[in-house]
Amino acid sequence: MNEPLAGASTERRLLASTLAAYGSQLGRVAIRAAADLALARLILPAGHGLFDLALGIVVVAGIFRDLGLPYQLVRDERPSYGAACVWIASSSLLLTAALALGAPLFAPLDPGLPAVLRLYSLFVLLDGLAVVPKVFFERRLEVGRLVGPEILRGLAFAAVGIALAAQGWGVWALVWGQLASGALFAALLWWRAWGRMPLAREPGRALALVRRSVLLFAIALLALPVPYVARFVLGAFGGGAYVVGQYGKARDWGFRLQELVLPAVARVLYPALVEYRGDRPRYLGAYRYGTVSILALETLAAYFLFFNAELVLLRILIGENWRPAVPLLRILCFVPLTDPYSRLGGELLKVEGEDRAWLAVVALNLVSLVAFGALLTSALGARGMAWANYLLLGNLLMAWRVRRACGPIFWRLTGDLLLVYLLPLPLFLAAAWAFPDGSWARLGASAAAAAIAGVVLAARFAGPLRRLFRGPAAAAEGA
């Protein structure tokens, strides 16, 4: 079981961690967005595409480094932080060396990729050093202790990256920014966790944890690299780093709000669901209203971006170099709305012990994206890759498994989501009808539409959320 803080109920820790997670994510996304704006104007699209390819490879290497251990530590009855530290540190060193030596193998994606990858492989080690102390605080629902380090990590990347990009370093500015921020983040987390996180030596315990996390590793291996797999397909079929850069920037901005909301909720919801396993009303209520809160914000962002894509992306954000990204953004901005049950469905299935079901979901999604992506990219270019994101068959399986887990709550959640999707639409259509595309007047009217719809949705769901945070009796009444 999670180690509760003295004198603090699960509800209080959940609320405090939720607010801290949102605060941290908001700060990080704001810093990242500001840095992205500057770097998009200082570095050409091909440089961003080259970095995207290297980042995808490093992300996959990080999954092999962790082998599912971070997820297992959260739900394990006896978390062994010391054993996990030894395992992840050792695997980080081995994978960093292997990636640096094997960098030439990735030259077919882009001739400049091996040189970038040789240096960027160090991020596998630096990021690995931060894994266990981060899990320690998240498992205890003490996300507030991560806020400062996470904000400083974002600032370090922005400062180093922009300073070097202004001097003409190109893609290397992005690489050195990531390395500097990763080193700072790891150092800050260990400083905060030292003396509090138990690091007892337990011979053989690391292998036991790895054996129990095999399915979690497979899930992570198939799920986490999905955004980067699309870039690999484009690199192979769509014209190199320039096209990858345009697609990557469109996806980044189309999913920007998802990056803000989903990690903030998921990092808190998983350990909370572990504690709520014996209390079904709070358990299902946390999943239901966590999903609704994510989709409500994503829906407003999708409508706003769709009706104002050119003005927002080119004139406000990143400039004329990125004009090919505009139609891609209009396609991709609605993708987050196509898999509502998957938003937190993975956390739900993990707690239910349905690792195999979740593995099947992510495997189907990955196969679908690669197959449809290769087919449509060959025919339509980058737009085909964007449309392939709507054809992920695993999302259908996830909806079915969530329905089984939630029972009648599933249909209430579906009704909530229909309200979230449909309520803002007339307001945005009215703004689009009244004002021409690309005008500041439409932008203002769209902002007003989002505000009105947001207020109505907040009023609708404020009561159930308050009951959830007030505790068992209130949650049972709401259910």
Side-chain angles (χ1 to χ4, degrees):
M1 294 295 292
N2 289 8
E3 308 93 320
L5 297 176
S9 67
T10 299
E11 290 73 34
R12 288 181 59 190
R13 288 184 289 122
L14 173 59
L15 178 58
S17 285
T18 300
L19 295 175
Y22 268 113
S24 174
Q25 197 68 13
L26 177 61
R28 286 189 292 160
V29 170
I31 293 167
R32 180 177 173 182
D36 195 36
L37 296 181
L39 292 168
R41 295 175 182 271
L42 292 169
I43 301 173
L44 293 176
H48 286 273
L50 193 56
F51 180 74
D52 282 347
L53 292 172
L55 177 60
I57 295 167
V58 166
V59 167
V60 174
I63 297 168
F64 279 96
R65 174 199 66 206
D66 296 343
L67 290 178
L69 278 179
Y71 303 107
Q72 183 60 36
L73 284 176
V74 172
R75 72 181 185 183
D76 202 81
E77 294 292 327
R78 183 168 62 90
S80 301
Y81 299 110
C85 280
V86 172
W87 181 276
I88 292 177
S90 302
S91 60
S92 295
L93 287 168
L94 290 173
L95 282 167
T96 297
L99 202 55
L101 294 173
L105 298 175
F106 298 95
L109 292 174
D110 191 276
L113 185 55
V116 173
L117 205 51
R118 285 191 191 95
L119 176 61
Y120 194 34
S121 62
L122 285 172
F123 189 74
V124 176
L125 173 61
L126 296 173
D127 185 58
L129 295 176
V131 167
V132 176
K134 181 173 178 286
V135 171
F136 170 71
F137 289 121
E138 288 178 344
R139 189 181 193 276
R140 293 169 57 89
L141 290 175
E142 296 182 35
V143 175
R145 295 185 178 274
L146 300 174
V147 173
E150 289 173 343
I151 297 295
L152 290 173
R153 176 177 60 181
L155 289 172
F157 172 76
V160 174
I162 292 172
L164 294 179
Q167 298 178 40
W169 284 50
V171 65
W172 299 104
L174 300 172
V175 173
W176 280 110
Q178 281 276 59
L179 295 179
S181 63
L184 177 63
F185 185 59
L188 290 172
L189 287 195
W190 275 101
W191 177 65
R192 291 207 162 186
W194 193 258
R196 301 187 64 217
M197 182 172 65
L199 295 172
R201 293 184 60 188
E202 299 176 83
R205 178 64 175 159
L207 287 176
L209 287 172
V210 169
R211 283 195 295 269
R212 297 179 65 182
S213 67
V214 167
L215 287 177
L216 296 176
F217 159 65
I219 291 165
L221 181 61
L222 295 175
L224 294 181
V226 165
Y228 306 101
V229 167
R231 292 162 166 85
F232 296 152
V233 172
L234 277 173
F237 295 95
Y242 177 81
V243 176
V244 172
Q246 296 286 352
Y247 175 89
K249 199 59 64 182
R251 191 188 188 283
D252 285 348
W253 286 100
F255 285 64
R256 183 69 69 188
L257 191 64
Q258 185 187 88
E259 294 175 359
L260 167 62
V261 178
L262 182 57
V265 176
R267 73 191 302 185
V268 174
L269 187 74
Y270 180 35
L273 288 177
V274 171
E275 291 205 17
Y276 287 163
R277 277 179 293 194
D279 188 337
R280 208 65 181 174
R282 281 191 294 172
Y283 178 80
L284 295 178
Y287 170 74
R288 176 184 175 187
Y289 293 113
T291 300
V292 169
S293 68
I294 291 172
L295 268 297
L297 293 172
E298 289 180 348
T299 299
L300 297 178
Y303 284 133
F304 186 85
L305 285 173
F306 180 82
F307 288 110
N308 301 277
E310 184 169 342
L311 179 63
V312 169
L313 198 64
L314 301 185
R315 295 176 62 184
I316 297 177
L317 295 178
I318 54 180
E320 286 293 329
N321 283 335
W322 300 93
R323 182 165 289 277
V326 172
L328 300 177
L329 176 62
R330 283 202 165 103
I331 298 172
L332 289 166
C333 66
F334 285 111
V335 170
L337 311 186
T338 61
D339 63 335
Y341 307 110
S342 299
R343 275 298 168 277
L344 301 172
E347 278 63 36
L348 188 72
L349 294 184
K350 275 189 290 187
V351 178
E352 295 278 318
E354 298 209 28
D355 293 347
R356 287 183 175 82
W358 194 24
L359 177 60
V361 168
V362 297
L364 270 175
N365 279 345
L366 184 63
V367 171
S368 303
L369 184 64
V370 172
F372 289 121
L375 179 65
L376 295 178
T377 298
S378 299
L380 303 174
R383 295 192 190 196
M385 189 69 249
W387 284 116
N389 287 271
Y390 288 88
L391 303 175
L392 304 186
L393 302 180
N395 293 338
L396 300 176
L397 177 59
M398 175 63 83
W400 177 62
R401 301 300 297 195
V402 168
R403 186 191 66 79
R404 287 186 56 187
C406 290
I409 293 292
F410 176 83
W411 300 112
R412 298 182 194 175
L413 171 59
T414 301
D416 294 338
L417 293 174
L418 287 175
L419 174 65
V420 164
Y421 287 174
L422 297 178
L423 186 146
L425 181 57
L427 300 173
F428 281 96
L429 287 175
W433 175 80
F435 303 104
D437 188 17
S439 67
W440 292 99
R442 178 186 284 195
L443 185 77
S446 298
I452 293 169
V455 168
V456 174
L457 291 173
R460 164 64 181 84
F461 295 109
L465 283 170
R466 282 197 300 268
R467 286 195 294 270
L468 177 65
F469 286 119
R470 283 209 307 265
E477 174 190 349

